[in-house]
């Protein structure tokens, strides 16, 4: 009964786009995986906002992986005036901290962490085979192990707290949106 993270991100992007347009501001879109997949330069108008929403909703990535550093670097190259940047991601990436700090110095950055409760909790259902959506790597593990569930829970909580510390240090905003709310 939960929504996918991409649905939540698209819904929130729609709210941001319509808010910008209603305020007379420009809105644009960058979609990326391991590299830049799509760039729609900022413009005004409800037709433009509808295009952004359509592209966010129906985006089919060609690449794999998550390249937060690459996406932020691209924004640093194409945005010449100070802007408000909403960065929608699950932040399940590494090595992007310096890119966040760099972009937050020049622009107002608001990170929107889209997460799923299952990234922090795993029910005791026995043997589970999981596949990494980005790499295709498969892993078999026993969820009936209390130690495994606790390590999983702790790792998820630590990822969230590390992101909160990063955004506070970069003086960036952070919004956390779950798939269940």
């Amino acid at each position: 009964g939960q929504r996918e993270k991409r649905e939540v991100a698209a819904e929130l992007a729609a709210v941001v786009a319509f808010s910008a347009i209603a305020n007379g501001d420009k809105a644009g879109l960058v979609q990326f995986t391991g590299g830049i997949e799509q760039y729609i330069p900022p413009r005004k108008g409800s037709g433009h906002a509808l295009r952004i929403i359509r592209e966010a909703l129906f985006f089919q990535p060609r690449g794999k992986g998550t390249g937060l550093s690459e996406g932020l670097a691209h924004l640093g190259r194409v945005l010449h005036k100070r802007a408000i940047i909403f960065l929608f991601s699950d932040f399940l990436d590494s090595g992007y901290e310096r890119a966040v700090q760099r972009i937050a110095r020049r622009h107002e950055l608001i990170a929107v962490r889209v997460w799923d409760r299952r990234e922090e909790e795993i029910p005791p259902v026995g043997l589970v085979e999981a596949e990494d959506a980005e790499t295709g790597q498969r892993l078999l593990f026993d969820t009936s192990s209390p130690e495994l569930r606790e390590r999983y829970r702790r790792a998820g909580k630590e990822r969230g707290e590390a992101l909160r510390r990063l955004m506070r240090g970069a003086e960036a905003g952070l919004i956390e949106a779950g798939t269940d709310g």
Side-chain angles (χ1 to χ4, degrees):
Q2 295 182 336
R3 297 177 295 168
E4 291 184 19
K5 290 189 281 188
R6 61 180 286 146
E7 292 175 82
V8 173
E11 181 180 326
L12 293 172
V15 170
V16 170
F18 276 130
S19 295
I21 299 306
N23 202 36
D25 295 326
K26 296 177 181 179
L29 177 70
V30 175
Q31 298 194 88
F32 55 89
T33 54
I36 304 304
E37 299 249 353
Q38 181 180 38
Y39 173 60
I40 301 173
R43 284 197 289 180
K44 294 182 180 185
S46 58
H48 186 68
L50 289 172
R51 177 180 179 210
I52 288 171
I53 293 163
R54 182 179 59 251
E55 295 296 338
L57 280 172
F58 298 110
F59 175 63
Q60 293 296 320
R62 291 180 299 278
K64 292 198 178 242
T66 301
L68 288 169
S69 293
E70 292 84 355
L72 291 170
H74 179 78
L75 284 173
R77 288 189 299 273
V78 299
L79 293 177
H80 304 294
K81 294 181 182 177
R82 184 167 168 79
I84 300 173
I85 298 170
F86 285 85
L87 177 61
F88 297 90
S89 177
D90 56 11
F91 294 91
L92 296 177
D93 192 10
S94 59
Y96 61 87
E97 294 82 5
R98 293 183 77 201
V100 163
Q101 293 164 344
R102 221 177 359 261
I103 204 84
R105 277 194 298 271
R106 261 186 78 198
H107 304 281
E108 184 174 340
L109 176 63
I110 301 168
V112 182
R113 177 184 176 221
V114 183
W115 66 284
D116 189 306
R117 177 173 31 106
R118 294 171 289 195
E119 293 167 5
E120 293 183 359
E121 298 173 15
I122 192 163
V125 294
L127 289 176
V128 171
E129 183 176 30
E131 181 178 327
D132 186 312
E134 295 181 352
T135 66
Q137 180 182 2
R138 293 178 166 272
L139 178 67
L140 182 67
F141 55 97
D142 185 4
T143 63
S144 61
S145 165
E147 295 83 20
L148 176 107
R149 288 195 320 275
E150 178 56 26
R151 282 196 324 263
Y152 188 87
R153 185 196 66 75
R154 197 174 326 116
K157 294 284 185 194
E158 287 171 5
R159 275 193 310 274
E161 188 51 44
L163 179 62
R164 289 181 203 97
R165 280 193 307 273
L166 171 63
M167 294 305 160
R168 273 194 308 271
E171 296 181 6
L174 176 62
I175 299 169
E176 298 192 60
T179 57
D180 59 352

